[in-house]
Amino acid sequence: MAKEKVVIGSEGIYDARKLGAPKMIILGFQHMFAMFGATVLVPLLTGLDVSTTLLMAGLGTLLFHVFTKFQVPAFLGSSFAFLGGYATIAPMLEDGTPNKEMLPYACLGVACAGLLYLVLAAIIKIIGINRVMKFFPPVVTGPIIIAIGLGLAPSAINNCKTNWALAIVALALIIVFNIFGKGMVKIIPILLGILGSYAVAAIVGNAIGVESFAIDFTTVKEAAWIGIPIDWNSTVFGGVHDSSKAITAIIAIMPIAIATMMEHIGDMSAISATCGKNYIANPGLHRSLMGDGLATTLSSLFGGPANTTYGENTGVLALSKVYDPRVVRIAAYFAIVFSFSPKFAALINSMPAAIVGGISFVLYGMISAIGVRNMVENQVDFSKARNTIVAAVILVCALGLGSGVSFSIGKFDITLSALAIAAIAGIILNAVLPGKDFDFSKSNSVEKNEEKAE
């Protein structure tokens, strides 16, 4: 049966409502799988709970749709940008187990970072976007994003070291699916890389008997099919008791929001270009920032990771040509349903560290590449000494200061992470050095989106 179409301006798009409920459900399931691989990888890397992560991804997406008047077809999955913050405040223990004591403090820091979105949203609404964006040009946000990826690279290598052969299998599968894949295969290389390498480990280790590849399915067998996806002791409300640790976590992690808010603007531009509508203008960037920020705060308060609009799902929009936000909300419902199955979470947690290493090997590099792309697309001129100095100071601070800088204010011991120092230094330098030439109103991304929306 041919798909029915509606025409909006010069763009022909499929009306998902006319496709019928069964096809809409399949399309929603496709969106769920597109976000799944990357979303569940964040709790594997940080020690957060997989079930909680899925629940908060679903709820966060629905909350975002409420704030954007149900108009923007975006899915909110786990943000990789805060991994450095989790690694600083709640690093995994020496035996590879989660740091249950410190994770609630890291979540508190991320929750407060989410509130910064509301501050920027209010400022944009009051004074206009151009006056705000001059403090966050690509010469500042680009290097910060690069530093996030490069700073996480050692953890990927450490995971790969547990079994390089399996890590290379995971990495190779992602490359093959991403470069040579067609259709959905090309959009979900991370998920396919996880499934493929997991299958290799199970066959070689459990079926053939190669011990280094073996997977322990004990917890999977013991896990219940149905359970509550939130552990009160892992939430901010039940796990934060030390005010000094809380303040340290807040100060260390909140500046990361500077980079993630810029990522949000880029994602909204990409979704606008894909759908042929200027979502930055209507329903408005202030609304999408509020939705994203509150989704992050909600998730973190209850023990989940930060949320962010997902590029994987933008790819699904481009592939399917179905831009109806209802399809994305169906994906959110699927995520919520899966979050109530501890057996499903246990299956994910049984994944060997080497697979996580192979997957993160490319993901961390991709984070840095996004920072490079951000500067290239906005034509940052590095022939100017002031731009070179700003970028250089950010990168050296972020990568050279290690565990950051510690100091005391009264009875509180405060630790500023290297990334936080880098962000602060970059913003100040960009503000005081002469020669600023970036005008957000004339940036390539805005012009392209406005042209497509006309």
Side-chain angles (χ1 to χ4, degrees):
M1 175 181 284
K3 296 179 179 179
E4 298 182 64
K5 295 184 179 181
V6 294
V7 177
I8 298 180
S10 61
E11 296 289 334
I13 64 173
Y14 295 115
D15 187 342
R17 289 169 293 184
K18 293 184 178 181
L19 295 176
K23 290 183 179 179
M24 285 184 66
I25 292 173
I26 293 173
L27 289 167
F29 204 62
Q30 175 179 250
H31 271 285
M32 198 276 290
F33 268 104
M35 69 84 191
F36 191 84
T39 293
V40 301
L41 186 56
V42 172
L44 293 177
L45 295 171
T46 59
L48 296 170
D49 188 77
V50 172
S51 295
T52 305
T53 298
L54 288 175
L55 175 64
M56 293 304 161
L59 293 177
T61 298
L62 297 179
L63 181 63
F64 176 86
H65 282 237
V66 169
F67 275 90
T68 55
K69 299 181 178 180
F70 302 99
Q71 295 180 19
V72 183
F75 191 97
L76 270 61
S78 304
S79 172
F80 286 85
F82 286 92
L83 289 178
Y86 286 108
T88 299
I89 302 300
M92 300 288 274
L93 302 178
E94 292 183 2
D95 60 357
T97 58
N99 192 334
K100 294 291 188 181
E101 177 186 355
M102 293 304 300
L103 273 175
Y105 293 96
C107 287
L108 175 62
V110 176
C112 292
L115 296 178
L116 287 182
Y117 284 66
L118 307 187
V119 175
L120 180 58
I123 294 174
I124 290 174
K125 181 65 175 177
I126 294 171
I127 70 174
I129 192 169
N130 291 336
R131 293 182 181 179
V132 175
M133 294 304 297
K134 68 180 181 180
F135 293 102
F136 309 107
V139 72
V140 172
T141 57
I144 290 175
I145 297 171
I146 292 172
I148 291 172
L150 295 181
L152 291 167
S155 67
I157 298 300
N158 289 335
N159 281 325
C160 288
K161 286 179 179 178
T162 60
N163 189 331
W164 270 108
L166 187 56
I168 291 174
V169 168
L171 177 59
L173 287 174
I174 290 178
I175 294 174
V176 170
F177 290 132
N178 191 44
I179 300 299
F180 303 105
K182 302 294 182 181
M184 273 301 295
V185 171
K186 191 177 184 68
I187 294 176
I188 55 171
I190 294 173
L191 176 62
L192 295 177
I194 291 175
L195 294 176
S197 54
Y198 195 97
V200 169
I203 294 171
V204 175
N206 296 70
I208 299 178
V210 179
E211 187 175 346
S212 60
F213 279 74
I215 301 175
D216 185 1
F217 288 107
T218 303
T219 55
V220 179
K221 295 176 181 177
E222 295 176 350
W225 282 102
I226 304 296
I228 303 300
I230 295 178
D231 176 9
W232 182 256
N233 292 326
S234 298
T235 67
V236 169
F237 308 107
V240 174
H241 309 289
D242 189 316
S243 56
S244 294
K245 292 179 180 177
I247 293 175
T248 296
I250 292 171
I251 294 176
I253 293 178
M254 281 187 72
I256 298 176
I258 296 170
T260 58
M261 286 187 287
M262 299 308 103
E263 289 180 354
H264 173 91
I265 294 172
D267 289 339
M268 289 301 298
S269 297
I271 295 173
S272 295
T274 299
C275 300
K277 294 183 179 181
N278 191 346
Y279 293 120
I280 292 179
N282 182 33
L285 182 60
H286 63 289
R287 284 184 170 274
S288 63
L289 279 168
M290 289 175 62
D292 199 346
L294 287 176
T296 289
T297 298
L298 173 68
S299 175
S300 300
L301 288 176
F302 288 94
N307 283 337
T308 187
T309 45
Y310 253 35
E312 289 89 340
N313 295 89
T314 303
V316 175
L317 294 174
L319 175 70
S320 66
K321 304 298 183 183
V322 177
Y323 307 143
D324 193 328
R326 297 186 184 202
V327 173
V328 178
R329 292 196 287 275
I330 290 173
Y333 300 143
F334 274 122
I336 293 171
V337 170
F338 277 116
S339 73
F340 283 88
S341 176
K343 189 174 288 291
F344 183 76
L347 183 65
I348 299 299
N349 281 322
S350 68
M351 186 182 305
I355 294 179
V356 177
I359 302 297
S360 57
F361 196 100
V362 65
L363 280 178
Y364 295 160
M366 288 172 63
I367 293 174
S368 294
I370 290 172
V372 175
R373 186 184 68 189
N374 183 37
M375 293 187 290
V376 171
E377 290 179 347
N378 289 283
Q379 300 177 349
V380 176
D381 186 359
F382 280 109
S383 67
K384 293 186 176 182
R386 59 101 54 201
N387 289 342
T388 304
I389 290 172
V390 171
V393 169
I394 290 173
L395 291 173
V396 172
C397 287
L399 302 177
L401 291 177
S403 57
V405 176
S406 300
F407 57 93
S408 298
I409 299 180
K411 64 177 182 178
F412 299 110
D413 296 322
I414 308 299
T415 299
L416 282 177
S417 68
L419 191 62
I421 296 171
I424 294 170
I427 292 170
I428 293 175
L429 275 177
N430 178 71
V432 301
L433 292 180
K436 293 187 288 292
D437 59 359
F438 180 75
D439 185 348
F440 183 78
S441 66
K442 297 179 181 180
S443 67
N444 292 340
S445 59
V446 172
E447 287 182 341
K448 290 176 182 176
N449 290 329
E450 288 180 346
E451 289 173 2
K452 279 187 172 286
E454 290 177 353

